[in-house]
Amino acid sequence: MALPEIVSRDEWRAARADLLVREKAATRARDALNAERRRLPMVEVEEEYVFEGGDGKATLLDLFEGRGQLVVYHFMFAPEWDAGCRSCSAFLDQIGHLAHLQARGTTFAVVSRAPYTKILPFKARMGWTVPWYSSYGGDFNHDFGATLEIDDEPAERPGISCFLRDRDRVFHTYSTYERGLDGLGSTTSFLDLTALGRQEEWEEPKGRASALGAPAGSVRIRYHDECEE
């Protein structure tokens, strides 16, 4: 077994200090990349998508639940499958309490092509409470790159799509797939994908921290049972 080299405590501290320099550089590079992501243009979603969820039929606007941003996880669950993807299930297992995203005006939802009659029992089996919708029979997954046509057959891939709402207008701001999901799962990792980011004053571009009419992001950190839904 190839284990790490054994060294003295002083040697470890020196090696750790060297690595810390590169870690801080990576953090600054990540902040710059996130800022470039927030500078991406957006496109208005004009299609009338219809989903099915726990409360019946829903539009894309309904998925926001009245908040300003929406993060959709494209969960691989094809109509002909009897259960959802194992890797997608492992991803969903790591999602934390949604109150912290919601406190920043951001809704998290899951969408799959499987009929809701298949999603519901699988969701219950897994013990998940996240909002999960079926796009069965619609073009949502195809239009946002989560379902591809390979040899004239639909093929699923996991992904994330982010949306921004301006009153009743919905805009698509970002999507990423497969390896682009590496490292995601925390509240801040999802916010970093959105057009408004973590809504902190230090973020670039300036002027978005209070775009949803609330104080900067860190001011809204609460115990999850104190967060407003």
Side-chain angles (χ1 to χ4, degrees), residues 199-210:
Q199 299 156 48
E200 301 285 0
E201 296 291 355
W202 57 264
E203 289 181 306
E204 297 287 346
K206 299 296 185 182
R208 298 190 185 179
S210 57

Side-chain angles (χ1 to χ4, degrees), residues 4 10 12 22 56 59 63 70 79 85 89-90 94 96-98 105 118 125 140 145 147 159 179 187 192 200 208 227:
D10 287 343
W12 181 89
R22 294 192 290 276
T59 64
L63 269 58
L70 171 67
C85 165
S89 298
Q94 69 183 342
H97 205 291
L98 297 182
K118 286 191 173 184
R125 170 189 166 187
F140 181 79
T147 301
R179 287 297 304 276
T187 296
D192 284 343
E200 301 285 0
R208 298 190 185 179
C227 292

